[in-house]
Amino acid sequence: MLHAPIQLSLPAWIDEAVDLRATYADDAAKVALAIELSRINIARDTGGPFGAVVFDEASGRVIGVGVNRVLPQSCSVAHAEMMAYMNAQARTHKVRLNEDGARIVLASSSQPCCMCYGATFWAGIDTLLIGARSQDVMALTTFDEGPLPADWIGELGQRGIAVRRDILRDAACEVLRKYGQSDPPRY
């Protein structure tokens, strides 16, 4: 049956880990939440070492969250950023999250891979906050982040998306390191 429903889900612990009433005033607080989600995701063995959170810039409130769910969902697109975009879009009923003029921030524990980078254009993100760099991901784990344009930050900038990276980079790398040293290493 080809018309079978396609459904992805976040782990049950996510509602306990994220307080939708809280506000996150600065970049570090936003990225810290994404890193914490990545840490919990591997600690609970519910996916890979990546977390992402979509915020409303004006209020600092969470709109959507995601963690890596590739293996548990048997779905190669279930990356943290993709899950966060889909969660935010489902909660707001908007394809482009900034379509009504709201400014939208994505905080990611690690630099988006080539797939998530592309989705950032269309999800309606105005600011991208990054913990670990892609070279950290590839040095500390077995993940291949795929090709990006040489000036990927400039490409985002041309589309009106600001990029700030290396926010709590050491903390983000520690989660990646722990995952990469797991026995046996997981993909």
Side-chain angles (χ1 to χ4, degrees), residues 4 6 8 11 19 27-28 38 47 54-55 62 73 79 97 105 120 125 127 134-135 138 144 157 170 172 174 177:
I6 299 169
L8 297 174
D19 180 358
D27 293 354
S38 71
V54 176
F55 293 93
V62 172
Q73 302 277 232
H79 289 200
L97 296 166
V105 175
T120 300
I125 302 301
T127 302
S134 63
Q135 42 283 46
M138 293 187 290
D144 179 352
D170 291 341
E174 186 53 39
R177 186 175 292 106

Side-chain angles (χ1 to χ4, degrees), residues 66-99:
V67 291
N68 179 283
R69 300 282 288 155
V70 170
L71 293 181
Q73 302 277 232
S74 300
C75 181
S76 62
V77 300
H79 289 200
E81 297 90 344
M82 302 297 277
M83 297 294 288
Y85 294 153
M86 289 184 279
N87 182 245
Q89 290 162 337
R91 292 185 73 232
T92 63
H93 304 285
K94 296 178 194 171
V95 173
R96 288 191 61 82
L97 296 166
N98 63 359
E99 70 187 30

Side-chain angles (χ1 to χ4, degrees), residues 46-165:
T46 52
F50 304 100
V53 186
V54 176
F55 293 93
D56 173 73
E57 183 179 81
S59 69
R61 290 188 183 251
V62 172
I63 298 172
V65 300
V67 291
N68 179 283
R69 300 282 288 155
V70 170
L71 293 181
Q73 302 277 232
S74 300
C75 181
S76 62
V77 300
H79 289 200
E81 297 90 344
M82 302 297 277
M83 297 294 288
Y85 294 153
M86 289 184 279
N87 182 245
Q89 290 162 337
R91 292 185 73 232
T92 63
H93 304 285
K94 296 178 194 171
V95 173
R96 288 191 61 82
L97 296 166
N98 63 359
E99 70 187 30
D100 62 1
R103 299 215 26 101
I104 305 298
V105 175
L106 176 75
S108 184
S109 63
S110 298
Q111 179 179 317
C113 71
C114 59
M115 174 181 64
C116 297
Y117 167 81
T120 300
F121 299 158
W122 300 295
I125 302 301
D126 298 293
T127 302
L128 175 58
L129 307 176
I130 300 169
R133 293 183 179 209
S134 63
Q135 42 283 46
D136 300 328
V137 173
M138 293 187 290
L140 297 169
T141 71
T142 57
F143 293 104
D144 179 352
E145 296 298 274
L148 289 175
D151 184 20
W152 64 272
I153 293 174
E155 291 289 336
L156 289 174
Q158 288 179 13
R159 289 167 173 78
I161 302 169
V163 176
R164 293 193 285 278
R165 60 186 182 161

Side-chain angles (χ1 to χ4, degrees), residues 10-24 33-34 36-38 40 52-55 60-67 87 91:
L10 293 168
W13 58 260
I14 211 87
D15 289 322
E16 298 167 14
V18 179
D19 180 358
L20 294 175
R21 297 165 299 174
T23 58
Y24 298 81
L33 179 58
E36 178 63 7
L37 294 177
S38 71
I40 295 169
V53 186
V54 176
F55 293 93
R61 290 188 183 251
V62 172
I63 298 172
V65 300
V67 291
N87 182 245
R91 292 185 73 232

